[in-house]
Amino acid sequence: MWAKTLWGGLGLLLAVSGCWGTDHPPAGTSTELKALKVASLPIEDPLSLAWDTAPEATVVLLPQSITYPILGRGTIGELKARALSDDKFLGLRLSWADKTHDETLEVDKFTDAVAVELPLGDPQKTNPMMGSSENPVYILHWKAVWQRDVDKGRADVQDLHPGYYSDPYPFVSGRFPYEVQESFQTDNARRYFPGLAAGNPVSKLYRRWPVEELHAEGFGSLADHSAQDARGKGVWRDGRWSVVLAIPREVPDRANPHLLPGQNTLVAFALWDGGSQNVGGRKHWAPFLKLVLP
């Protein structure tokens, strides 16, 4: 089930001017992404040679210019997509050139990120601009800052600003520098973290996977799933991101797609270049592409 908790940070995922479904994709975009069946999906190894066995699709990216905040000029022209599937997961390996490795969130710093969108209703009737109540969409979102938290441990204030100082917080345990994951365990202490206290999924202190499953039924309806079954992994090497997004093929959650063998569906993409101040609606996008499942 999906939780009725709106998540405005992602904003409008996909904005498409004058086209629906697979009509009129950007020039140079592949016509389909075909998944190859494997015995076991290399979810935690985006650089595995197994990904090279799958057909590669080129996805041309456009700057989002339909709704504010718009992206006036794109900095990333395309991403490459490959798909593998085992009995449990459909894996999408997305890669793109990015000269900066942006995994920090501060007032004026933003993180690299990528997301995919799949229809939950009739693919040919699904509005790629966040779906609709009749034909909602499933979204899987990865962020470099979450990957950093998973790989290295959550970045705390003292990690980003070693010279900082704070007076003691009421109800906090331990001592300075009051590490967030260790020192704010009680409900009273967490009053000083309103996002965490309110259950905002963006404020999670612990992450097993650097991805978030989401659901949308139109503009302003983006919500976090109550159950998080997807997986993922991102690696930045030699000026290039390689990110695996693994979607469960069949789970009871009605807010998840049911990716049955031999089924064709659609997939769309969004990408954020943190070093170029991409955040929210200020991003790159690509409309629906045919997705062929083994």
Side-chain angles (χ1 to χ4, degrees):
M1 301 292 288
W2 59 281
K4 291 243 181 194
T5 304
L6 298 184
W7 189 5
L10 189 55
L12 174 68
L13 177 65
L14 297 164
V16 181
S17 176
C19 67
W20 303 99
T22 57
D23 295 339
H24 312 302
T29 291
S30 299
T31 58
E32 70 176 27
L33 175 61
K34 186 174 183 179
L36 182 70
K37 186 67 180 292
V38 294
S40 181
L41 194 66
I43 294 174
E44 297 193 68
D45 187 3
L47 303 179
S48 169
L49 294 179
W51 294 106
D52 295 337
T53 65
E56 184 176 72
T58 297
V59 179
V60 176
L61 299 171
L62 302 173
Q64 192 287 115
S65 58
I66 304 302
T67 187
Y68 290 98
I70 66 171
L71 180 64
R73 182 179 64 85
T75 54
I76 298 176
E78 66 179 26
L79 64 81
K80 302 291 187 179
R82 297 179 188 264
L84 295 174
S85 180
D86 59 19
D87 292 335
K88 295 182 178 180
F89 290 94
L90 167 68
L92 304 176
R93 202 282 298 277
L94 310 177
S95 69
W96 66 96
D98 188 348
K99 62 183 179 181
T100 61
H101 179 196
D102 302 298
E103 60 178 13
T104 301
L105 280 178
E106 294 191 64
V107 174
D108 58 348
K109 294 181 181 179
F110 304 104
T111 182
D112 295 329
V114 71
V116 295
E117 177 189 80
L118 281 73
L120 291 172
D122 184 338
Q124 300 307 320
K125 295 181 179 179
T126 299
N127 181 346
M129 295 184 285
M130 303 298 285
S132 65
S133 57
E134 295 80 13
N135 289 285
V137 293
Y138 167 93
I139 296 164
L140 184 57
H141 190 206
W142 170 92
K143 288 183 178 181
V145 65
W146 294 341
Q147 189 67 62
R148 192 268 182 209
D149 289 347
V150 170
D151 292 344
K152 305 175 185 178
R154 182 182 173 88
D156 216 323
V157 176
Q158 59 272 18
D159 298 314
L160 301 177
H161 304 283
Y164 99 106
Y165 181 82
S166 173
D167 291 330
Y169 291 93
F171 310 111
V172 73
S173 60
R175 61 182 65 186
F176 180 84
Y178 308 113
E179 296 180 355
V180 170
Q181 288 179 291
E182 289 76 21
S183 300
F184 294 83
Q185 296 296 323
T186 67
D187 290 340
N188 278 332
R190 290 185 177 185
R191 290 180 183 179
Y192 296 89
F193 292 89
L196 185 64
N200 187 327
V202 182
S203 302
K204 288 179 181 178
L205 291 184
Y206 306 94
R207 290 186 180 275
R208 171 64 180 90
W209 300 99
V211 295
E212 204 75 54
E213 292 182 279
L214 302 155
H215 178 101
E217 297 184 356
F219 298 140
S221 68
L222 194 63
D224 187 72
H225 281 211
S226 298
Q228 294 287 327
D229 301 301
R231 300 179 181 181
K233 172 78 173 182
V235 173
W236 186 86
R237 180 176 295 177
D238 299 329
R240 191 169 190 87
W241 275 112
S242 297
V243 177
V244 172
L245 299 176
I247 304 169
R249 292 201 65 160
E250 186 71 20
V251 294
D253 193 341
R254 68 177 178 87
N256 272 62
H258 300 286
L259 304 173
L260 303 177
Q263 173 182 301
N264 294 339
T265 185
L266 301 174
V267 61
F269 307 86
L271 187 147
W272 291 259
D273 179 10
S276 297
Q277 302 289 292
N278 287 191
V279 65
R282 197 161 61 235
K283 63 181 176 294
H284 305 73
W285 64 273
F288 280 136
L289 174 71
K290 183 179 179 181
L291 176 61
V292 181
L293 301 176

